[in-house]
Amino acid sequence: MGSRTLRKRLHHGDVYGKKNEHLETSGSDDLNEPLLGNYYSDTHAEESSLEETCDDERRKEQLHWTLLFSQLIAQWARWLANIVLGSGSLIGRLLTFPSTTQNGQSTKLVAPPLSPLQEARLRKLRQRLEVPFDGSRVEHQDALLQLWRLAYPDKELPPLKSELWKQMGWQGSDPSTDFRGGGFISLENLIFFAQQYPESFQRLLHKQDGTRAEWEYPFAVAGINISFVLAQMLDLQSEPTSLAGIRFLELLQEDEMAFDNLYCVAFQMMDAQWLAKRASYMEFNDVLKSTRSQLERELALEDVSSVKDLPAYNMLRR
């Protein structure tokens, strides 16, 4: 006597650095009937009784398998619902982000609808990105001097144009000429780093970790480059279509300062890449590319719902 079998196979693949799970079911089209032998009797009554007994047995067997099959389907449905509706669920995210391949070619992802809070925070961040650094504005001059105080609390403030600024990693005596595409937000990022993670900031500023190259990267200019690369990677000046950009929108829901915190992680990550590669000044762009790739991989991890969930966040020291 055969029965329909329900087989569940959980497959694991890799989709943009994330595990992908899906369920397959297979079986025959119908429940099989019990295999009955051929019985003959000499009387019509015996044949009728045997047929009734067989019919009863068949009905009982069918009822048994029907109930069993229904229970399995109910259990499967509850299992699937828990995956789809659970926080941080893998299938839930796959439903949000459509397939990235079509006819063998990669396609752009579409961000899910934003909450009012996400929209407000993204709008504010974009406004910050649009502000260029202007050395003639008093508030920008004050911010530059604030960065100096945070970096060198025991030193006197230098003039806005001074050779002393080179100590911080500016290329010349006038820091305002180094901002270019970085904008005012890159100065805000450096100030945030110094305020929120002062120990890491000081260690990177003074190159205290690891065996350093003879020709080191300039700290302040490196910070401006990281701001620029980060904004580019996250598609912040357009509608995000990359996985990293879309995942960053999720981080904004939890943290208004997600960009600034991510900047600190990226800076610390960049220095770690620099040391691992035993890099020198001429290899700085290669280090930036490696940093971007690592950050994209960490943002694609399944259980990242805030910047603090990133593995590299553990490198930061307050």
Side-chain angles (χ1 to χ4, degrees), residues 18-36:
K18 294 169 55 181
K19 288 183 178 179
N20 176 30
E21 302 180 356
H22 64 276
L23 181 73
E24 291 184 0
T25 62
S26 63
S28 58
D29 294 335
D30 298 299
L31 293 174
N32 292 325
E33 293 287 343
L35 299 176
L36 302 177

Side-chain angles (χ1 to χ4, degrees), residues 21-167:
E21 302 180 356
H22 64 276
L23 181 73
E24 291 184 0
T25 62
S26 63
S28 58
D29 294 335
D30 298 299
L31 293 174
N32 292 325
E33 293 287 343
L35 299 176
L36 302 177
N38 293 322
Y39 294 96
Y40 296 92
S41 65
D42 296 331
T43 65
H44 177 74
E46 290 177 345
E47 291 177 352
S48 176
S49 176
L50 180 60
E51 289 175 358
E52 289 175 0
T53 300
C54 292
D55 288 341
D56 289 340
E57 291 295 324
R58 281 196 296 267
R59 282 193 293 269
K60 289 179 182 179
E61 194 72 11
Q62 288 177 332
L63 180 60
H64 169 75
W65 288 110
T66 300
L67 289 174
L68 180 60
F69 187 78
S70 299
Q71 290 173 353
L72 289 173
I73 290 296
Q75 291 175 358
W76 177 82
R78 286 194 297 271
W79 174 81
L80 184 60
N82 288 335
I83 290 180
V84 173
L85 299 178
S87 60
S89 74
L90 184 59
I91 292 182
R93 286 176 178 170
L94 290 176
L95 292 175
T96 301
F97 306 137
S99 173
T100 57
T101 59
Q102 185 175 3
N103 298 326
Q105 298 181 350
S106 60
T107 60
K108 294 181 178 179
L109 296 172
V110 178
L114 302 182
S115 69
L117 181 60
Q118 285 173 302
E119 289 181 348
R121 289 177 174 177
L122 180 59
R123 182 166 56 251
K124 182 178 180 180
L125 180 55
R126 285 173 171 169
Q127 290 171 351
R128 291 175 62 195
L129 287 166
E130 293 174 357
V131 179
F133 181 86
D134 186 348
S136 65
R137 294 178 61 175
V138 175
E139 58 268 34
H140 289 199
Q141 295 174 2
D142 290 343
L144 198 56
L145 295 175
Q146 181 187 7
L147 178 62
W148 180 274
R149 293 190 193 95
L150 292 167
Y152 307 108
D154 299 327
K155 293 184 179 181
E156 292 185 4
L157 284 174
L160 290 173
K161 293 183 180 180
S162 169
E163 293 294 314
L164 294 174
W165 288 101
K166 292 182 181 179
Q167 296 177 21

